[in-house]
Amino acid sequence: MSSPPAQHIDGTLKGGLMIKRGSSAYTPRQAVLWLLSIEFPHAVSEEDIAHGRFPTTLENLTLINRLFLVTVPFENTMMH
């Protein structure tokens, strides 16, 4: 796995828009395991998640959405 790009780590997107940070219902371990399950291509540790070092970028958001859609079948009702 390669490291994610470091630009825009503060959540600032193009045009000055922001990705708002908030608390999570999931533990850092659960977040990392989920990223692994969708085959997120960049190395992410529990410490990165816990300390807010995961880059909140439009590129990562787009990639995570795409990976989720191709990993989890759209009509997979067993997840709910």
Side-chain angles (χ1 to χ4, degrees):
M1 289 187 188
S2 60
S3 296
Q7 73 259 18
H8 304 296
I9 195 165
D10 63 353
T12 304
L13 302 174
K14 295 174 186 171
L17 299 174
M18 297 287 293
I19 297 175
K20 184 177 179 182
R21 289 188 183 261
S23 60
S24 176
Y26 302 99
T27 66
R29 177 165 173 73
Q30 289 172 318
V32 169
L33 289 173
W34 182 77
L35 288 169
L36 288 171
S37 76
I38 64 168
E39 298 182 16
F40 188 70
H42 307 297
V44 179
S45 70
E46 290 180 45
E47 292 78 25
D48 292 336
I49 300 291
H51 293 82
R53 292 189 301 253
F54 182 82
T56 52
T57 64
L58 181 58
E59 292 80 12
N60 274 345
L61 180 60
T62 302
L63 178 59
I64 288 169
N65 277 302
R66 181 175 293 138
L67 290 171
F68 180 77
L69 288 173
V70 299
T71 304
V72 180
F74 178 73
E75 296 178 359
N76 188 346
T77 57
M78 294 301 291
M79 287 193 63
H80 302 286

